[in-house]
Amino acid sequence: MYPIQHLVLGILFSLILIVNFPQIDLVGFSLVVLSTFLIDVDHYLFYAVKKRDINVRNAYKWFVKFTEKRKKLSVRKRKKYKHHILIFHGVEFWAILAVLSFVHVFFFYMFLGVVFHIFLDMAVLTYSKMGFSCIISQTYNLWHNRNKKDLLPLIFFSIIVFV
């Protein structure tokens, strides 16, 4: 799913939340919307590290091309592709947000946005028969990609981000 779609659906989701739970204020509304949309910054980080290019437009174009190429592959061939390391799309990050939700309600709103984002991603991946194991755990992705040559900078980057 593309970022603009996440943004629009995140706004709709937040509107539904704020109508049903009026105690969610403008800050909570904004945090849900932003976390639904900005979680995809990890796609940009992946691209920037992998391609050593910080141009956002190039990153977007690269992911669009990659996605289109991957969609054309058979389900069997797709499984041979390594998974991207998307540090905010894994259960490891969700667990951190869930724990922090007990510290401050802001983290709970962020958690809601991230969960909604992942739900949308899983729906799209299921519909396109791409499988969603790649977004469930980044530890799994590291294990799945363990024999891949160009993974080393990404492992280093992931360790730095989580430390």
Side-chain angles (χ1 to χ4, degrees):
M1 183 170 281
Y2 296 111
I4 192 70
Q5 295 168 313
H6 277 296
L7 179 61
V8 169
L9 292 172
I11 291 170
L12 291 174
F13 176 67
S14 297
L15 286 172
I16 291 169
L17 282 177
I18 206 164
V19 166
N20 289 304
F21 303 99
Q23 65 271 28
I24 299 175
D25 56 3
L26 185 58
V27 173
F29 173 86
S30 300
L31 284 170
V32 173
V33 170
L34 289 173
S35 60
T36 301
F37 171 68
L38 292 177
I39 181 179
D40 277 337
V41 74
D42 59 4
H43 288 273
Y44 169 74
L45 294 173
F46 176 86
Y47 172 83
V49 170
K50 182 175 180 65
K51 298 294 185 176
R52 297 188 185 348
D53 178 11
I54 60 171
N55 186 304
V56 175
R57 184 170 289 161
N58 289 346
Y60 182 80
K61 288 178 183 178
W62 184 82
F63 268 100
V64 168
K65 282 182 186 177
F66 177 84
T67 301
E68 292 306 314
K69 179 181 175 183
R70 190 170 180 200
K71 281 181 185 178
K72 292 177 183 176
L73 296 174
S74 68
V75 174
R76 187 175 180 187
K77 286 186 179 179
R78 286 181 200 160
K79 290 181 180 182
K80 294 181 181 180
Y81 261 82
K82 62 183 163 188
H83 300 307
H84 295 161
I85 306 300
L86 304 173
I87 59 175
F88 301 133
H89 280 71
V91 68
E92 301 85 358
F93 177 69
W94 314 337
I96 292 168
L97 278 181
V99 169
L100 290 174
S101 294
F102 293 104
V103 175
H104 201 285
V105 71
F106 289 174
F107 293 108
F108 178 70
Y109 295 138
M110 291 170 61
F111 180 73
L112 284 176
V114 167
V115 167
F116 182 67
H117 177 100
I118 297 301
F119 170 77
L120 293 174
D121 281 355
M122 290 172 77
V124 169
L125 290 170
T126 301
Y127 175 77
S128 62
K129 298 179 181 161
M130 304 241 303
F132 52 80
S133 63
C134 59
I135 63 169
I136 299 300
S137 171
Q138 299 314 302
T139 304
Y140 168 79
N141 289 346
L142 287 170
W143 177 256
H144 177 269
N145 297 341
R146 67 190 176 279
N147 296 325
K148 307 300 191 231
K149 184 177 177 184
D150 63 347
L151 182 67
L152 293 177
L154 298 175
I155 293 172
F156 179 71
F157 178 74
S158 297
I159 291 169
I160 289 173
V161 169
F162 280 112
V163 172

